[in-house]
Amino acid sequence: MSGTEAFSPKIVAYVCNWCTYLGADLAGTARLEYPPNVRIIRLPCTGRIDTNLVVKAFEIGADAVLVSGCHPGDCHYTAGNYHARRRWMLFRDLLDVVGFDMRRIHFTWISAAEGKKFQQAIEEITEQTRALGPYRPYEAKPAAAACSGCAVVDACSASASAIAAPPADSPAQTRLRETAARLLSEGAVKVVIGYGQRGPAFITKPEDAARLVWNQTCFANLTTYLKRKEIRALGKPAIVLKGCDERALVVLEKESQVDRAEMHTIGMACAGMGQPKCAACDTRQTRFADETIADDAPVPPPTAERYAALDSLLQKSPEERLAFWTTEFDRCLKCYACRQVCPMCYCERCLADKNRPQAIDTSPHRKGNFAWHLSRAIHLAGRCVGCDECTRACPAAIDLRLLNLSLARAAETKFAYRAGTDPAVEPLVGAYSLNDKEEFIR
Amino acid sequence: MNTLTRDGLRKLVGEWMAAGKICVGPVRVKPGTVLFARLTSPEELLLDGWVRPANSIKELLLPRNETLYGYRVEKNRIELLDPPETIPEQIAICAHPCDAAALPILDKVFNWDFRDEAYNRRREATTVITLVCAEHDEECFCTSVGLAPDATGGSDAMLYDLGDGQFAVSSLTEKGRAILGEAEAHGGHASAPPVRFDPKQIARFAVDRFADPFWQAHSLACVGCGACAYTCPVCHCFDIVDEGNGREGVRARNWDACQFSLFTLHASGHNPRHAQGDRQRQRIYHKFHVYPEKFGETLCTGCGNCARNCPVGLGVLPLITEIPHAEPV
């Protein structure tokens, strides 16, 4: 056995029960021959094909993956394929940023009458994959452990600028404390969710309002606490919001997770908190808050391009990107700090914590970590507001922000969508358009 | 060899690596982050510019993911595949006394009723070269749990930074002498954090005030991740998982953490630690009461990593300094 001549690629095809599966069946009954390299997995609808399944196929040794469903307009369930199409558009961008070989992921529409098209697709994919050789993304050689100045030096988000010393009692801080004390003593709210000396603070008595601070350490996104049962048990909250945090609230409300009528929002004008996200921030003021507090200082405009870090990563070759992410994910401990601080991760029980079936390996080994981070990112597509809490919380300094940015840009460029900016717009994933671009689907 | 230059240390590391030993030391993985990591070259070893890495060396003994054994099914035969008998020698370089002190503590847990082979194999293959702390930060509290910036427990050799590009070396054990030779330095500069609390008082509070609203009130910020436990030098809870399919697979041991709601969730749906405050209390209760009662010492080396890594400002020291009357006696 030597080289590619002996190589027989393994191709996993996830197909829709109502069209492509019947197309494959037709190819069989019509005696159309196609290579035996394909393993067909039948699912009820392309809308049901979880992106995890694609990752799983590569995990267990597939050399290429085909996802195939009904032509637009033909879905047995009206619109499953439209939803799937939108999800793939986003998922492809994510895989590309991570450095997966995009020549090994194929999408087709094949109807029950298109036995011939199925035969051709399998022939082409088999030949193409044979030429590419075996695919072993999880055996990519990681970059050196040390930040070497580095593989993607410009993309590094970890070099947050030093946090300036908190100013002594700013007028905004004084007004924030007065507001909190007033709301609590009037009985308008039961708890004020704000920032204390060391992080989030939960003020329940007017006399404790002096524990609140407003300074350069107030970078956490407090909206994540609105989902926690311990906080909900305290009663009606008032929450301190920056403009960026408010976008999370818009998404949460759109997804029916919170009701603004049942809380009081205190908007803080923010000049930036010294975090990487702050340089490109264009939402320094809240727009819908019940009351706003602002210092006299003018709010600075953004000074950096939002996707600069992502761009410098994308200038690297797919192999370099894969090596970069391999190094990053190899540090992952699966402490789930990224998930726990995320306002959008509100599932009662996360997919990663379910074991019947085990969609994602719980082990913090390379495959388990790739599966986890890809899954986390795609579940946030069109929902992540870029608060970067995941990146800040990560004890292993994994640059998760870049994954979020890739999906944010996909949403913005392909769908003119920015999560949390317009409460009137339908959520990105959950809606679809007949005009979604499908140039990547054969 | 009573002193060693920085270059001399790097040269030794290069020799150990060339001899096939796994060398682990502080590495700057990102501009703002230093972690203990397996060195790919001696140049990666960071010899100054950090107070302590954001993780610990416990991974040398208790890897975050460890295969206990594998299986393979062929027709009617099931074959069990043991992990390799021997593992390469491992050397932790520039560990801190709060990392090294964790080893004797872990030894007790992994040997008291059951001798954990996987752990002991790694323990025997591990040599720890400790760097005496020349700096501390406000999260450090080793002196409050009976340790010191130059404590020798768990170390095979000590390095004292003499500040002129040289280390004074002291070999403490056979393992230390085997790699560094005979050496006996007599101390050097060590930077001790102030004593912040009395662990006995903490234990008393945790026992006497088990149901106190204090625990819930001071845990509201906790988001329930495992950053504290996973970067702690002594937290050692693990989960056993099977990964594979009908033909082949492995049984693996992975880290687990008491701050996850799933940690104590019963199959019935009942969770004896149903609120995050219960889980925070458990962490303190175990470290300052359960382990000391069983083994006679505190399950905390005062490294402060829990507080450094907590995304919301909690951690052992921040939590217990809120305990009434927790100031030193």
Side-chain angles (χ1 to χ4, degrees), chain A residues 144-147 156 198 202 225 228-230 328 330-335 337 340 353 361-363 365 392 395 397, chain B residues 27-30 33 44 64-65 220-226 230 241 243 254 260 274-276 309 311-313 318:
Chain A
C147 173
C156 186
R198 280 193 67 91
F202 305 86
Y225 287 105
R228 294 196 66 83
K229 69 174 196 287
E230 290 85 352
E328 294 289 285
D330 277 0
R331 290 201 303 273
C332 178
L333 308 168
K334 286 251 176 102
C335 71
Q340 295 304 104
D353 285 341
D361 284 348
T362 51
S363 292
H365 50 40
R392 184 181 69 79
Chain B
V27 171
R28 193 175 297 283
V29 297
K30 284 288 167 72
T33 308
E44 282 184 339
R64 67 185 91 154
N65 168 240
L220 290 171
C222 180
V223 291
C225 74
Y230 285 5
V241 297
E243 283 177 354
N254 296 331
F260 296 141
H274 73 280
Q276 203 59 41
N309 287 302
V312 294

Side-chain angles (χ1 to χ4, degrees), chain A residues 14-63:
Chain A
Y14 293 109
V15 305
C16 161
N17 173 56
W18 300 100
C19 50
T20 308
Y21 189 77
L22 297 177
D25 206 28
L26 178 62
T29 50
R31 302 286 187 269
L32 299 172
E33 280 188 26
Y34 59 82
N37 299 58
V38 63
R39 275 79 165 158
I40 295 176
I41 297 171
R42 177 171 63 152
L43 289 144
C45 176
T46 41
R48 176 63 188 79
I49 297 172
D50 195 296
T51 53
N52 264 318
L53 293 175
V54 175
V55 176
K56 199 80 177 173
F58 285 120
E59 247 182 44
I60 59 176
D63 298 299

Side-chain angles (χ1 to χ4, degrees), chain B residues 166-221:
Chain B
Q166 298 219 70
F167 297 109
V169 185
S170 186
S171 299
L172 305 172
T173 65
E174 276 311 312
K175 280 182 188 169
R177 281 187 281 276
I179 57 167
L180 288 168
E182 287 288 345
E184 202 185 343
H186 295 284
H189 170 66
S191 164
V195 175
R196 305 288 297 275
F197 62 85
D198 173 6
K200 288 204 175 62
Q201 277 192 353
I202 306 306
R204 211 173 304 134
F205 183 85
V207 173
D208 295 348
R209 310 276 291 277
F210 191 79
D212 200 287
F214 169 90
W215 301 106
Q216 306 298 340
H218 288 84
S219 307
L220 290 171

Side-chain angles (χ1 to χ4, degrees), chain A residues 3-133:
Chain A
T4 47
E5 274 140 5
F7 169 58
S8 178
K10 284 198 192 81
I11 296 157
V12 173
Y14 293 109
V15 305
C16 161
N17 173 56
W18 300 100
C19 50
T20 308
Y21 189 77
L22 297 177
D25 206 28
L26 178 62
T29 50
R31 302 286 187 269
L32 299 172
E33 280 188 26
Y34 59 82
N37 299 58
V38 63
R39 275 79 165 158
I40 295 176
I41 297 171
R42 177 171 63 152
L43 289 144
C45 176
T46 41
R48 176 63 188 79
I49 297 172
D50 195 296
T51 53
N52 264 318
L53 293 175
V54 175
V55 176
K56 199 80 177 173
F58 285 120
E59 247 182 44
I60 59 176
D63 298 299
V65 171
L66 166 69
V67 184
S68 184
C70 306
H71 286 274
D74 265 1
C75 180
H76 187 78
Y77 309 101
T78 316
N81 53 355
Y82 291 129
H83 286 290
R85 178 169 69 185
R86 183 165 276 202
R87 235 178 287 141
W88 300 342
M89 289 168 75
L90 296 163
F91 187 55
R92 286 176 82 251
D93 275 30
L94 178 64
L95 288 183
D96 190 33
V97 165
V98 174
F100 266 78
D101 186 345
M102 299 308 287
R103 295 168 302 178
R104 297 174 186 267
I105 303 161
H106 305 267
F107 300 87
T108 57
W109 300 138
I110 296 176
S111 77
E114 293 177 314
K116 184 79 185 154
K117 185 173 177 185
F118 184 80
Q119 178 203 29
Q120 281 169 350
I122 298 301
E123 274 177 354
E124 280 171 34
I125 293 168
T126 307
E127 273 326 297
Q128 210 181 322
T129 311
R130 200 189 302 280
L132 291 169

Side-chain angles (χ1 to χ4, degrees), chain A residues 358-408:
Chain A
Q358 189 89 56
I360 299 167
D361 284 348
T362 51
S363 292
H365 50 40
R366 196 173 287 171
K367 287 178 184 179
N369 289 347
F370 263 87
W372 161 244
H373 287 292
L374 289 173
S375 185
R376 195 196 68 87
I378 196 71
H379 283 191
L380 291 168
R383 307 174 58 235
C384 169
V385 294
C387 72
D388 287 354
E389 282 289 273
C390 48
T391 314
R392 184 181 69 79
C394 180
I398 301 172
D399 219 338
L400 297 169
R401 173 176 190 251
L402 294 168
L403 300 179
N404 302 336
L405 278 177
S406 78
L407 288 162

Side-chain angles (χ1 to χ4, degrees), chain A residues 89-102 150-157 305-325 399 401-411 413-414:
Chain A
M89 289 168 75
L90 296 163
F91 187 55
R92 286 176 82 251
D93 275 30
L94 178 64
L95 288 183
D96 190 33
V97 165
V98 174
F100 266 78
D101 186 345
M102 299 308 287
C150 89
V152 273
V153 66
D154 308 327
C156 186
S157 305
E305 212 279 307
R306 196 177 311 135
Y307 300 114
L310 180 63
D311 279 332
S312 54
L313 176 63
L314 283 169
Q315 277 166 15
K316 310 290 168 188
S317 70
E319 294 76 24
E320 286 172 308
R321 296 203 289 274
L322 190 60
F324 168 74
W325 286 110
D399 219 338
R401 173 176 190 251
L402 294 168
L403 300 179
N404 302 336
L405 278 177
S406 78
L407 288 162
R409 180 151 73 184
T413 55
K414 295 184 162 96

